Amino acid sequence: MENYGTEIDGLDYVLARKVFRKFEALNLSYIRDEIDGLLAYLDELFGEENMNECKDYLKMLKKLV
């Protein structure tokens, strides 16, 4: 049986594709200041080397504002 990723990779995918995508429907100017805190929390909770899909998506959102 091949290993296609870890549980954290799966969580990263679901958060980035299903949960954080809903931020696009919000007024991004309201959440812009909160993105840095969320990025720091992801690093603290999962480690700096994990959750890259979520981090990339959140950084892209921050650039849109």
Side-chain angles (χ1 to χ4, degrees), residues 19-55:
V19 177
F20 291 163
R21 296 264 176 199
K22 300 205 183 287
F23 287 173
E24 291 179 18
L26 302 173
N27 186 344
L28 293 178
S29 61
Y30 290 124
I31 64 169
R32 179 190 65 225
D33 298 333
E34 306 301 324
I35 290 175
D36 289 332
L38 183 53
L39 288 168
Y41 184 68
L42 288 172
D43 283 343
E44 179 183 324
L45 196 60
F46 297 104
E48 292 182 16
E49 69 280 355
N50 295 314
M51 304 303 282
N52 291 320
E53 225 174 302
C54 286
K55 291 179 204 174

